[in-house]
Amino acid sequence: MTPENPPGFVVRTEAQKAAFDNGFRLERGITGGWLGFASTTVQGDIWIAGISKHGPWLLALEHTGVIAELTDLSRAVGVPSPGAAAFLLPTTTSLDAALNHVYRLASSLPDLPLRQFKARTMSLPQSTEAERLVIQRVGQDIFRAALIEYWGGRCPLSGVTDGRLLRASHIKPWAACETDAERLDVHNGLLLAAHLDAAFDAGLISFADDGTILFAATFSLADRTALAIDEGWTLPGITFDHQRYLAWHRCLHLAEPKR
């Protein structure tokens, strides 16, 4: 499978539109048939190549944190690329969706929230409790924005998308974290509908390493039914980094969980 080299007018036009529409508006030129793009707001260059003007498409990335998250995309095995990994997308629509996902992940991985937090708080005083609360609010605002990007502005369980009903829930709470890196790590957070966030914070629900929802022994079936919490729910896209925080949450709250 060889990229069109040099890329024709249609391939160049479609690749540029897909990149620009999804936040990658800096053009990096052409390398071996791959059109390079970057963003002013997120880390990591991307490259797009077309096999023909009708597709399929190839997407190469250098951001290793993002690459690790894209487990649902097909790798372009054996295709030389300028990135650390390349993926095969059958249509322009799938290329556009993949770029949207890449941009959202790059907005929150691996340490962008932490760097934003340090930049915004480095000159703020932290000697009194009131001042430390201000610092915490700044961090929580950054954390929420990062989780909204990471989870696509949607509760992955209930499907709720109204921001007024969504909560950025730490898995390991802010006060229990040992470092700011833990506090601002998007893998230490879930974007949940308000009632699910309340149940999670109270330790009434948690999640197994595969994302399966777990219930505390004290969480009655009547209450679960009233809240429309489905026992078949599973959190999608759970990574190893999520698992270590979820293990902490289960250990604290669910001595005898119910599946």
Side-chain angles (χ1 to χ4, degrees):
M1 187 174 297
T2 305
E4 187 176 88
N5 188 19
F9 173 77
V10 173
V11 167
R12 293 198 313 271
T13 301
E14 292 290 344
Q16 184 186 62
K17 181 179 186 304
F20 278 37
D21 285 351
N22 290 286
F24 296 95
R25 298 186 176 93
L26 298 179
E27 297 187 72
R28 297 294 203 205
I30 302 174
T31 303
W34 295 81
L35 294 102
F37 300 93
S39 170
T40 59
T41 52
V42 301
Q43 298 173 314
D45 287 359
I46 67 165
W47 294 267
I48 302 172
I51 305 305
S52 74
K53 65 182 181 180
H54 303 296
W57 295 89
L58 295 165
L59 173 63
L61 309 174
E62 69 172 4
H63 195 312
T64 55
V66 171
I67 291 168
E69 301 272 343
L70 298 177
T71 56
D72 58 334
L73 296 186
S74 298
R75 290 286 187 108
V77 180
V79 178
S81 79
F87 300 89
L88 179 65
L89 293 313
T91 65
T92 305
T93 299
S94 60
L95 172 65
D96 189 72
L99 285 171
N100 178 270
H101 193 191
V102 167
Y103 183 87
R104 288 193 290 102
L105 289 173
S107 298
S108 54
L109 295 168
D111 61 349
L112 185 58
L114 178 61
R115 291 191 290 109
Q116 291 174 335
F117 175 69
K118 288 181 176 179
R120 288 176 57 181
T121 60
M122 63 184 302
S123 61
L124 297 178
Q126 304 183 41
S127 56
T128 69
E129 182 62 23
E131 290 167 347
R132 286 190 288 272
L133 286 174
V134 170
I135 298 293
Q136 181 173 334
R137 282 196 294 272
V138 170
Q140 289 173 337
D141 287 346
I142 292 172
F143 185 69
R144 174 180 170 82
L147 282 183
I148 288 173
E149 289 289 349
Y150 185 88
W151 292 102
R154 178 180 181 272
C155 171
L157 296 175
S158 67
V160 168
T161 58
D162 190 324
R164 295 167 296 183
L165 300 174
L166 294 172
R167 301 291 181 269
S169 183
H170 274 87
I171 301 173
K172 184 177 182 180
W174 182 279
C177 292
E178 297 177 2
T179 65
D180 288 337
E182 277 194 337
R183 296 181 181 103
L184 278 299
D185 183 354
V186 291
H187 297 108
N188 184 23
L190 302 172
L191 189 70
L192 299 175
H195 67 302
L196 296 174
D197 170 70
F200 185 75
D201 279 353
L204 297 175
I205 63 172
S206 191
F207 301 93
D209 282 347
D210 64 356
T212 301
I213 193 167
L214 304 173
F215 300 97
T218 56
F219 196 9
S220 72
L221 177 60
D223 283 342
R224 285 153 45 190
T225 302
L227 290 170
I229 298 179
D230 190 334
E231 65 180 18
W233 275 343
T234 299
L235 272 175
I238 294 299
T239 68
F240 173 79
D241 292 315
H242 289 110
Q243 289 172 358
R244 58 192 180 92
Y245 289 113
L246 288 171
W248 183 95
H249 188 269
R250 292 195 303 270
C251 182
L252 179 67
H253 292 293
L254 299 189
E256 298 179 5
K258 290 183 178 180
R259 287 184 179 268

